[in-house]
């Protein structure tokens, strides 16, 4: 398969292309573009988080988990990454492990049980 298209252009152009694929629900194509972009700019959270979401929606749950764990390791208070990690673990049937991340995500969002 020719993958030249996925890596063509500036980082900004590839970001826009990935967003278009994602918005069109072509999560596999979005993931292909984003994987290269994340490799190029590994310190940026936005592309990595969208890559994790693309993996999640295309049922590549182990890959989604790996990306989300990296984000949470770098930024423990990244609320959405915590939420997505919890949801990803739930889809894998790892409910106890998911509950911890979901509780932290709720607390970070200011949603406290019993208040």
């Amino acid at each position: 398969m020719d993958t030249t298209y996925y890596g063509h252009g500036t980082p900004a152009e590839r970001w826009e292309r990935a967003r278009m694929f994602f918005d069109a629900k072509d999560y596999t194509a979005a993931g292909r573009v984003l994987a290269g972009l994340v490799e190029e700019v590994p310190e940026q959270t936005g592309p990595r988080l969208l890559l994790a979401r693309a993996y999640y929606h295309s049922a590549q749950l182990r890959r989604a988990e790996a990306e989300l764990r990296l984000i949470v390791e770098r930024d423990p208070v990244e609320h959405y990454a915590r939420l997505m990690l919890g949801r990803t673990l739930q889809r894998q049937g790892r409910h106890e492990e998911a509950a911890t991340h979901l509780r932290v995500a709720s607390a970070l969002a200011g949603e406290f049980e019993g208040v």
Side-chain angles (χ1 to χ4, degrees):
M1 173 197 316
D2 183 17
T3 59
T4 306
Y5 175 73
Y6 299 109
H8 177 74
T10 67
E13 290 169 336
R14 285 181 281 143
W15 172 252
E16 284 303 313
R17 186 176 310 119
R19 297 286 314 207
M20 288 188 325
F21 280 132
F22 191 89
D23 292 344
K25 298 184 184 337
D26 188 346
Y27 303 116
T28 302
R32 286 185 183 129
V33 175
L34 289 162
L37 192 56
V38 164
E39 192 174 301
E40 189 174 327
V41 289
E43 70 285 352
Q44 291 188 6
T45 299
R48 189 174 300 276
L49 188 55
L50 191 60
L51 176 59
R53 290 177 63 201
Y55 286 154
Y56 177 87
H57 288 298
S58 61
Q60 298 178 64
L61 301 178
R62 295 282 184 191
R63 286 181 171 179
E65 178 185 349
E67 296 300 333
L68 292 163
R69 285 192 184 281
L70 240 170
I71 294 168
V72 167
E73 181 180 302
R74 290 180 183 172
D75 186 0
V77 296
E78 171 52 59
H79 155 261
Y80 192 70
R82 287 272 183 185
L83 176 65
M84 284 296 305
L85 181 55
R87 298 280 185 243
T88 300
L89 294 168
Q90 279 181 330
R91 280 186 69 186
Q92 294 178 66
R94 296 159 59 191
H95 300 286
E96 190 173 312
E97 195 177 348
T100 301
H101 293 286
L102 294 173
R103 277 193 304 275
V104 171
S106 290
L108 291 170
E111 301 166 359
F112 301 102
E113 291 182 27
V115 175

